[in-house]
Amino acid sequence: MDSRKSIRSLAESIHSLLGLKTHLTCSWADSVCNIIKSLPSEEQPDDQKNDKEDVDIDLGTTISNIKDELAALNANIYQLNIQRRQVLNDFLDMKG
C-alpha cells in the first residue's frame, strides 16, 4: 500500500514540475525513469488481487501516463539542447 502512495506522490510531483520545464534536464528525466523502473512490484494472494483489480488498473494507467510524459519531456529537452548548441555556434561564428 505504501508503494501505491509513493507512486501517486511521484505522479503529483511530476505534474507539479511540468510547469518548471526550463529547469528539467535529460539526467533528471532519466533519473525519474530509473526510479519508476526500480519500484518493487507487490505480489499479493489471489483473493486480494481480485479485490484490488480496479486499483491496479488505475495504477497501471497512471504509471503508463507518467512514462509517456517523461518520454515527451526527454524528447523536448533533446530538441532544446540541439537548438541551444546551434544558437551558441551561430553566436561564436558571429563573434569571430
Side-chain angles (χ1 to χ4, degrees):
M1 190 67 153
D2 290 332
S3 66
R4 288 190 179 123
K5 288 180 183 178
S6 63
I7 291 172
R8 288 185 183 137
S9 173
L10 178 61
E12 291 169 5
S13 297
I14 290 172
H15 286 289
S16 69
L17 290 172
L18 289 177
L20 306 173
K21 290 180 184 175
T22 57
H23 301 292
L24 301 181
T25 62
C26 289
S27 60
W28 178 88
D30 289 339
S31 296
V32 174
C33 285
N34 290 335
I35 291 170
I36 290 172
K37 289 176 185 175
S38 67
L39 289 174
S41 62
E42 294 182 6
E43 290 297 322
Q44 300 173 352
D46 288 337
D47 57 338
Q48 288 180 354
K49 286 182 183 179
N50 292 335
D51 293 339
K52 300 186 181 196
E53 188 173 311
D54 293 335
V55 173
D56 290 341
I57 291 171
D58 291 340
L59 192 58
T61 303
T62 302
I63 291 172
S64 177
N65 290 341
I66 290 171
K67 287 180 180 181
D68 292 343
E69 289 176 23
L70 286 173
L73 286 172
N74 272 330
N76 188 22
I77 289 170
Y78 180 76
Q79 290 300 319
L80 290 173
N81 279 332
I82 290 173
Q83 290 175 356
R84 180 191 53 79
R85 279 185 249 132
Q86 183 62 44
V87 169
L88 178 62
N89 288 338
D90 292 345
F91 173 75
L92 293 174
D93 286 342
M94 287 190 290
K95 187 176 176 182

